[in-house]
Structures are given as structure tokens and as C-alpha cells.
Amino acid sequence: MSIVALSDQTSTHMFDDLKQLMVVATLGISPADSILVKAYFRLILRLDYDIVWVSATDPRADILLINKSIVSFEKTQDFLSSLNIPVLQIVSAQAGLVGMLQGDTVQLPLTDTRDLQAWLFAHVDVLQRAASRMATSHAPTQKTETQPAQADYQIEDDLPQLIHQLKKTTHSQPRTLALYDQYQLRIGVADPAQQLFWPEQQGDFKIETGWSLKIPPLNSPRLPTRGTAQDLRQWLWQGLISSHASPALLNVHHLVQLHGWPKPKADEHRRDVLKVLACLNSQPMSAIGVSRQLQLPLPTVQRIMAALTASGWASVGAIDPQFPLGQSYTDPIEPAPTTGFRKLLTRLRQSLGL
């Protein structure tokens, strides 16, 4: 998923001021891989940077992209040891391998550029400086008669409180809140009272720590029509199910009551999500109880159930009396009962239209 520029007019002027040069050096990258990588960088950086592509020996380079297959060569190692810039290793696309970023290595082709975006902003000096300036430019404005106090609604790096504010359905001011990621780039605008969300980025995403809620600038464009909005609960669910921060939102000892079924995506999580939903459909259970019954790893169950409760599809109750606090439970140790389970799973799939 790529970065998009902030949509309000103030942010557009700010980006004009921040626009600068980023120099990318390459070594051993094939023409085909080069086309892909250049497309990813342009999607991520949009028009906020002029990108110059140079040879590996150019002293102006801010980052080096290198073919992983030549990294182990002795001469390559000598050259890399002389550099003081970040190095990103590129692996060509191979049949049967899923594109992803692992450490300092990118396996092509990517279907989601968010991890690459995060890596670039964490390692490339020119991007770090720009992100710092951008955060300063987004400093809270003073309270006016037409704008509520920022302290009441601005939430910085507090994921549980951020989600709580998004789920509020009271018709209080402000009606809309702008959501920003950890790089202070706007993700979209939410209307908590109507439980609607207008995303400003396309593709998959993960809600992580460091995100913030702010009152949109007074000169922000009006919200699009209701027909272009997404259900806020479903949007939160999709962003939390793959998030590394989700498990911390739920204590594994608490009972969870399911109130509705989000529609799981057809990805690697789908099978486990359907099992957990079917299990919770019959009665409130804790993550430990579900883990033991389904013979699924506890971290997997905790992440799914945390996403359900945080997005509003389920609620958290009391401590599970079968698994009290003070005792450690990690791996499932009991076989999963099968009586009635297949019927529950079938009903679940039918209700979701899967």
C-alpha cells in the first residue's frame, strides 16, 4: 500500500515546501527489477521528492539497492564496508514465492508497499528529516471559537484510546476526525457518530502504534458522499487483523462475546478467522479457551480476538473462571472437539456469503 499526499490545502502547500532530492544508487539490478523498484519508490514518495537514479559509486547516493545474489562476493563485501548509507537487497521474482520485505531484503514483486515505506522512513536520512519537519508543521493550532480544543480530541501514539475515540457514537463535536500514521501522513477521515470512514489510501494496511487522531484543518475539503464511505467497524477490523500491535489490546484471560461477523479477506488468516468466529458463535470464551479447543497457537487466537473486540464486533467480559489470572497458558494441550463444529462453520460461511 502506497503513501498518498495529505488532501487538505494546507498540507499541499507544506509538501511544496518540503520537496527535495533523493538519490538512489543501484548495483547489479536487472532492467525488469529496476522497473518494478522505480515504480514502488514513485508510489511511496509520490511527487514530494525528485528521485535521481545513479550508479553505485556516486557519492551523492542516499541509499544503495543491490542484487542479493552478488552480496556474498568478496569484492562486493569490500565495497559495502566502505559505505555509510543504508543498503537494501533486492531478490528477483521467483515462481511460488510471495513478495515481501524481510529485514533488509525485498523479495519481488510486492503487492503491499507499506513495509517498504516504513523501512525507507526508518533508514534513509533524507526521509527521516522530512518526516520530522512534517510532524512539526502538523503541530496543534490554538483554540478558536469555531474549532474545539485540540487537547480534547487529539490523540498521539495511544492506540487503545485512539480506537476508543473512533468507536464513540455520540453526536458531539468535532463530528469528523482525521487519522494519521506514524509518519504524519493522513490515512483518511472518520465520522464516529455515523461509524463511517473515508480512506485516502488504497490497498491493504496495518493499524500500528504511533498513529494519531486530529481535528481536520478548518479549510479541509468537505467529506465525499456517503456512498463512497466504508463501514468504520469493518475498516478497523481489516487494519487490526494483521497488526503487530493488536495482541496487546486483549488480555487472554478475559471472556469475549461475539456480536457480529466481520467479513474476512481471502488471505492467509481466513481459515483461522473462520474457526475462531465459529467457536465464539456458541458462547463467550477467552483466548486461552479458544486456543485449547481449536488447537491453534495462542498468539494467533489472541490477535484475531483482539481485532474483533477493538473494532467493535465483540465485547470483553469478566475473567474466564476456567483460566484464572496468575497461571500461565501458552500452547493448546487438549484436542479440539468436533461435535457440532462443522455445522457452525458451515452456518458462518453461509452468513458471510463465502
Side-chain angles (χ1 to χ4, degrees):
M1 176 174 159
S2 58
I3 301 176
V4 297
L6 305 186
S7 63
D8 58 82
Q9 298 174 7
T10 301
S11 300
T12 300
H13 295 316
M14 180 191 70
F15 267 90
D16 291 339
D17 294 335
L18 287 175
K19 189 169 182 178
Q20 54 190 297
L21 183 69
M22 180 174 175
V23 182
V24 183
T26 62
L27 180 61
I29 307 296
S30 70
D33 291 343
S34 179
I35 292 174
L36 285 176
V37 172
K38 288 180 178 180
Y40 299 148
F41 273 60
R42 180 48 65 196
L43 283 171
I44 291 173
L45 302 178
R46 294 283 172 160
L47 299 178
D48 310 324
Y49 290 84
D50 288 325
I51 306 176
V52 177
W53 298 86
V54 298
S55 65
T57 56
D58 195 307
R60 300 172 299 164
D62 296 305
I63 180 177
L64 172 67
L65 308 183
I66 185 171
N67 189 324
K68 184 178 176 64
S69 65
I70 66 173
V71 169
S72 60
F73 296 165
E74 183 177 351
K75 288 185 177 181
T76 304
Q77 287 294 315
D78 292 340
F79 172 70
L80 294 178
S81 64
S82 67
L83 300 178
N84 59 355
I85 58 174
V87 177
L88 186 63
Q89 301 180 43
I90 306 297
V91 180
S92 299
Q94 300 179 39
L97 293 182
V98 178
M100 66 179 67
L101 174 72
Q102 289 185 319
D104 296 335
T105 301
V106 173
Q107 169 68 58
L108 298 178
L110 294 177
T111 57
D112 183 346
T113 60
R114 288 185 64 83
D115 288 340
L116 177 57
Q117 167 191 328
W119 189 96
L120 290 173
F121 274 86
H123 292 82
V124 180
D125 288 343
V126 67
L127 298 182
Q128 291 178 332
R129 291 194 298 269
S132 177
R133 291 172 57 193
M134 197 180 305
T136 302
S137 299
H138 277 286
T141 58
Q142 294 183 351
K143 180 181 178 181
T144 66
E145 293 183 358
T146 58
Q147 186 173 9
Q150 289 279 5
D152 294 337
Y153 300 98
Q154 180 159 313
I155 300 173
E156 299 277 359
D157 199 11
D158 187 344
L159 188 57
Q161 183 60 27
L162 181 149
I163 293 173
H164 174 72
Q165 186 71 38
L166 281 176
K167 289 161 61 179
K168 282 187 176 180
T169 57
T170 55
H171 292 268
S172 58
Q173 292 295 327
R175 182 174 178 180
T176 60
L177 292 169
L179 181 63
Y180 295 82
D181 68 8
Q182 62 267 42
Y183 309 111
Q184 293 302 304
L185 299 177
R186 195 157 101 174
I187 304 300
V189 177
D191 183 343
Q194 299 189 67
Q195 289 293 282
L196 297 175
F197 188 80
W198 287 265
E200 295 178 4
Q201 297 200 38
Q202 298 179 351
D204 296 332
F205 65 96
K206 300 176 184 178
I207 298 177
E208 301 290 1
T209 55
W211 285 36
S212 58
L213 275 177
K214 300 178 183 180
I215 301 173
L218 295 176
N219 61 346
S220 292
R222 293 183 178 180
L223 290 177
T225 62
R226 185 184 181 95
T228 63
Q230 295 184 14
D231 178 81
L232 182 57
R233 285 198 309 170
Q234 181 67 26
W235 186 87
L236 283 171
W237 156 262
Q238 291 175 351
L240 290 167
I241 187 61
S242 300
S243 170
H244 299 298
S246 293
L249 302 175
L250 177 68
N251 187 312
V252 296
H253 295 269
H254 281 272
L255 293 170
V256 170
Q257 173 70 60
L258 188 66
H259 300 304
W261 294 317
K263 189 168 184 177
K265 296 180 61 178
D267 57 15
E268 69 275 14
H269 305 298
R270 181 173 178 272
R271 183 182 296 274
D272 291 341
V273 168
L274 288 173
K275 289 181 179 179
V276 172
L277 287 171
C279 192
L280 290 174
N281 186 67
S282 58
Q283 62 180 341
M285 297 183 68
S286 65
I288 298 174
V290 173
S291 173
R292 289 165 62 94
Q293 179 164 320
L294 297 179
Q295 292 288 287
L296 288 175
L298 183 56
T300 299
V301 174
Q302 183 182 16
R303 173 177 48 78
I304 295 172
M305 293 176 64
L308 287 171
T309 57
S311 58
W313 294 100
S315 58
V316 180
I319 298 294
D320 189 342
Q322 297 185 50
F323 307 104
L325 294 172
Q327 298 186 32
S328 177
Y329 304 92
T330 53
D331 297 326
I333 58 176
E334 293 182 357
T338 58
T339 303
F341 179 77
R342 293 186 180 276
K343 293 182 179 179
L344 282 174
L345 189 56
T346 300
R347 291 206 308 270
L348 177 61
R349 285 173 172 165
Q350 291 174 346
S351 66
L352 294 174
L354 302 174

